[in-house]
Amino acid sequence: LKLIVDATGAGMAVHRNKIPEGLEIAERVLANPEAPRQAVDFAAFASGLSMPLIGRGHDFLPIASRCRAERKTTDGMVRIMVFYGEVLALAYTGRLELATQRANEYAEFSSAGQFAGWAIAKIMDGVAATHSGRFRDAILAIEQALAALNAESSLPWQLPGRLL
């Protein structure tokens, strides 16, 4: 339970712009072989939002691969945000075609009933399109994502799209 609480705290620290603190906690949780899946998810979430931004996108890719290998169709929004971190890491490290491919895979992965997951996948597509210079595609993807999120009243999930 302590690892789950620590990992959740890592995500909260990253959101409070205490990136070094949050990342230190997240990496400690991820390194623990006994960390339960929920702890790994929250630690990966914190790492995926912070590592690409501080120039450590390459370091996040193995974490994303670990989570991708364990994914299930019933995964919740935390896992979708880990995948968002992967697309960020790929885009920030110049692997633009793979970023686009992953965004498309995650759009297919989210079920029709998971509007927030689908919308985050569209934001991932917008990230990949922006970094690839495909601005019309980026605008279309972000507009669709924000429309879906507005319909769901999912204000916290709108942040990545609104920032982009």
Side-chain angles (χ1 to χ4, degrees):
L1 183 60
K2 181 179 182 334
L3 291 171
I4 295 170
V5 172
D6 287 349
T8 304
M12 294 172 76
V14 167
H15 275 96
R16 290 190 326 262
N17 202 30
K18 295 182 178 185
I19 292 174
E21 175 187 323
L23 195 49
E24 178 185 333
I25 296 166
E27 288 182 300
R28 188 174 57 238
V29 170
L30 290 167
N32 188 323
E34 299 194 15
R37 184 169 183 222
Q38 297 91 340
V40 170
D41 286 349
F42 275 102
F45 168 71
S47 299
L49 291 181
S50 57
M51 284 180 158
L53 298 177
I54 63 169
R56 293 184 55 197
H58 289 291
D59 294 339
F60 182 68
L61 295 176
I63 298 167
S65 292
R66 174 181 173 183
C67 292
R68 194 174 50 259
E70 299 171 354
R71 73 181 175 179
K72 299 176 186 171
T73 55
T74 56
D75 282 341
M77 285 303 295
V78 170
R79 188 58 65 96
I80 295 293
M81 289 305 292
V82 172
F83 299 149
Y84 172 77
E86 180 183 24
V87 171
L88 274 182
L90 290 167
Y92 286 15
T93 58
R95 298 176 69 187
L96 303 175
E97 287 182 26
L98 187 53
T100 300
Q101 178 185 330
R102 288 286 190 260
N104 290 332
E105 287 173 14
Y106 298 138
E108 291 174 16
F109 176 70
S110 63
S111 75
Q114 295 175 316
F115 295 114
W118 177 86
I120 294 296
K122 293 304 280 183
I123 292 170
M124 291 181 213
D125 187 35
V127 166
T130 297
H131 290 281
S132 298
R134 296 180 291 111
F135 300 115
R136 289 181 194 261
D137 293 341
I139 291 167
L140 179 63
I142 297 300
E143 285 178 341
Q144 290 174 351
L146 292 176
L149 290 169
N150 281 334
E152 289 283 304
S153 299
S154 302
L155 188 59
W157 302 112
Q158 292 179 17
L159 182 61
R162 292 200 178 276
L163 288 174
L164 187 60

